[in-house]
Amino acid sequence: MDDKIITKEDIDKLTYNNEDNIMYEFTNAILERNINKAILMYHSFIENNTSIDYLLISIYNSYKTLYQVKVLNNDKSISDIAKFIGKKEYFVKKTLERSMDYTESDILKIIDKLSEIDREYKQGLIDPVNALELTIINICSRI
């Protein structure tokens, strides 16, 4: 019988990675315009009281990275892009595949909309839960 003791730190490491993986799956569903998966996951996050700030910044960062990779792809190799943004080549390759469904202008509009939601939510002008859900629907529906 193994007497290894599982510590709180062990559990925290596993839980943290799981949360990261779930968020990665969520943002990929949005990037891939998978509306059913994205909305289902969004509702789950909201029901579990996930911070709207965390959701907004995660989506924002995904589109910021998508934009960086798309722009850098004009004159850099996948390897060079990976080094420049500090990510693995596989990540860059997958991001490039996802970027083909967007123009640079599309990505910038989405980033602007996410920033607008953040600003208006912090000013108390909008309900961020509904605004972000509508934005996810619009992104996935290409509106």
Side-chain angles (χ1 to χ4, degrees):
M1 177 174 241
D2 188 11
D3 290 333
K4 172 121 173 100
I5 297 172
I6 298 174
T7 65
K8 181 180 179 327
E9 289 78 27
D10 294 331
I11 294 170
D12 287 345
K13 285 179 188 173
L14 291 173
T15 304
Y16 179 76
N17 286 337
N18 189 38
E19 287 175 8
D20 283 350
N21 290 337
I22 293 169
M23 185 55 68
Y24 181 74
E25 190 175 331
F26 170 62
T27 57
N28 282 340
I30 298 170
L31 289 170
E32 294 168 359
R33 301 183 194 265
N34 183 338
I35 192 168
N36 293 329
K37 185 175 184 178
I39 293 301
L40 183 67
M41 293 185 79
Y42 181 71
H43 288 168
S44 177
F45 284 127
I46 297 304
E47 289 168 11
N48 288 301
N49 296 316
T50 302
S51 163
I52 200 75
D53 291 318
Y54 180 52
L55 295 171
L56 267 168
I57 198 68
S58 296
I59 300 167
Y60 176 89
N61 284 339
S62 293
Y63 278 96
K64 184 178 95 175
T65 301
L66 189 76
Y67 183 76
Q68 290 172 328
V69 168
K70 189 165 188 74
V71 170
L72 290 170
N73 188 49
N74 292 331
D75 64 352
K76 294 195 183 309
S77 69
I78 289 176
S79 176
D80 289 341
I81 295 169
K83 288 175 190 165
F84 187 79
I85 67 170
K87 301 284 186 181
K88 304 241 183 242
E89 286 185 31
Y90 178 78
F91 175 86
V92 171
K93 183 179 175 207
K94 294 303 281 183
T95 302
L96 272 174
E97 289 172 9
R98 289 182 184 100
S99 78
M100 296 304 150
D101 199 31
Y102 295 87
T103 66
E104 289 177 19
S105 176
D106 290 338
I107 301 168
L108 290 175
K109 286 176 188 172
I110 291 167
I111 289 171
D112 285 345
K113 182 61 179 174
L114 294 168
S115 296
E116 177 185 319
I117 291 169
D118 185 54
R119 184 178 54 259
E120 290 181 357
Y121 144 62
K122 289 179 177 166
Q123 293 173 346
L125 301 174
I126 61 167
D127 171 10
V129 173
N130 291 333
L132 185 54
E133 181 173 4
L134 181 59
T135 299
I136 292 168
I137 291 168
N138 288 341
I139 291 169
C140 292
S141 302
R142 301 171 196 262
I143 296 175

